[in-house]
Amino acid sequence: MNNSQITHWCHEIIKSQAPKGGFYIDATMGKGNDTAFFCELAGETGEVLAFDVQIKAIEATAALLIEKGLVDCATLIMDGHEKMKKYAQPETADVICFNFGYLPGGDHNISTKAQTSIMAIEQGLEILKKGGMMSLCIYSGGDTGFEERDAILEYLKNLPPKQYVVIKNEYFNRGNNPPMPVFVFKN
Ligand SMILES: C[S@@+](CC[C@H](N)C(=O)[O-])C[C@H]1O[C@@H](n2cnc3c(N)ncnc32)[C@H](O)[C@@H]1O
C-alpha cells in the first residue's frame, strides 16, 4: 500500500471516525475504488449510494465490485451529485465522499465543476447525520485549473464553526499542485 496516496489517507481517516454498517455516499464514483471501500465498511447491514454522470464509470465500478465479490452492495446512480437530495433523506448519512476531477483514463471534459460541486456539497451537508463526516479530495492545476478548488475552499471556509469542523490538509513538500484532502465534521 502506498501511504502517500491521497485516497489511502482519506480512507484511513474515514475508518478511524465512521461506524461500520452505516449509510455511505460516494458522490463521485469514477472507477469505483471509494464505492468498494464503502461496501466493505457497510458489510451486510449497511447501505451505499454512488453517483456518476457517465456510463463508463458505472460500468467500471460494477466490474470492480464483481471482481471484489461485493455484488449488490451498492446502488449505482447515473445522475449528477448536485441532485443528491432526490435520493437520500436529510440527516441520514454517516459519510459522504467526494473525489473531484475527471475519470482517470477517461474524457477530461467530463469533469466535476465548481458550481455543481458546491451544490452537491451543500446538499451533502444536509444529508449528513449529526456526528457524520464528509471527505473531499480536491485537485487543481493542469486541465482542472483552480476555479473549482478555490470555490470549494471559499465555501468551506465560511461554514458556521458551531455546526461544522473543517480540517484542510496539504502535502507540504510536494510540487505541481498536489491534491488536497479536506474533512468536514458535522456537530
Ligand atoms: C476523480 S474521478 C472519481 C474517482 C473515484 N472516486 C474512484 O474511486 O475511482 C471523478 C468522477 O466524477 C465524475 N463526475 C463529474 N461530474 C459529476 C457530477 N456532476 N456528479 C457526479 N459525478 C460527476 C466524473 O465522471 C469522474 O468519474
Side-chain angles (χ1 to χ4, degrees):
M1 176 108 47
N2 178 355
N3 288 348
S4 67
Q5 271 190 355
I6 185 174
T7 46
H8 171 80
W9 281 111
C10 290
H11 290 180
E12 289 301 310
I13 303 290
I14 291 169
K15 272 196 286 187
S16 75
Q17 301 293 319
K20 289 188 176 164
F23 174 35
Y24 315 108
I25 299 179
D26 180 0
T28 48
M29 197 185 315
K31 294 196 160 172
N33 297 298
D34 296 315
T35 307
F37 164 73
F38 277 145
C39 284
E40 278 160 7
L41 205 57
E44 306 231 315
T45 53
E47 189 188 347
V48 180
L49 288 188
F51 292 86
D52 208 292
V53 288
Q54 51 178 320
I55 190 70
K56 270 192 175 177
I58 312 283
E59 287 169 354
T61 300
L64 182 70
L65 296 181
I66 290 169
E67 187 190 312
K68 288 182 169 270
L70 296 166
V71 188
D72 290 339
C73 73
T75 305
L76 309 185
I77 300 167
M78 195 166 131
D79 204 350
H81 44 210
E82 65 277 11
K83 296 183 203 141
M84 208 187 289
K85 258 171 52 171
K86 260 174 67 182
Y87 301 90
Q89 297 302 310
E91 310 233 320
T92 53
D94 292 286
V95 186
I96 302 178
C97 162
F98 287 88
N99 201 330
F100 296 102
Y102 48 81
L103 185 70
D107 181 349
H108 290 201
N109 293 312
I110 310 176
S111 175
T112 55
K113 303 273 184 305
Q115 195 191 359
T116 41
S117 296
I118 301 287
M119 284 169 71
I121 293 169
E122 206 162 11
Q123 292 184 29
L125 292 176
E126 280 180 45
I127 291 166
L128 264 192
K129 273 181 188 166
K130 291 198 171 74
M133 69 179 288
M134 186 178 279
S135 162
L136 308 101
C137 297
I138 307 173
Y139 297 86
S140 61
D143 289 341
T144 308
F146 297 94
E147 188 195 347
E148 184 181 30
R149 179 198 68 180
D150 293 348
I152 292 171
L153 291 180
E154 185 61 23
Y155 176 80
L156 295 176
K157 194 177 181 185
N158 289 303
L159 286 176
K162 284 196 175 150
Q163 275 173 272
Y164 299 100
V165 175
V166 182
I167 311 277
K168 174 166 91 71
N169 304 264
E170 63 181 321
Y171 288 91
F172 199 38
N173 65 340
R174 198 189 274 187
N176 298 326
N177 307 302
M180 182 185 286
V182 177
F183 301 99
V184 179
F185 300 91
K186 186 168 179 177
N187 291 329

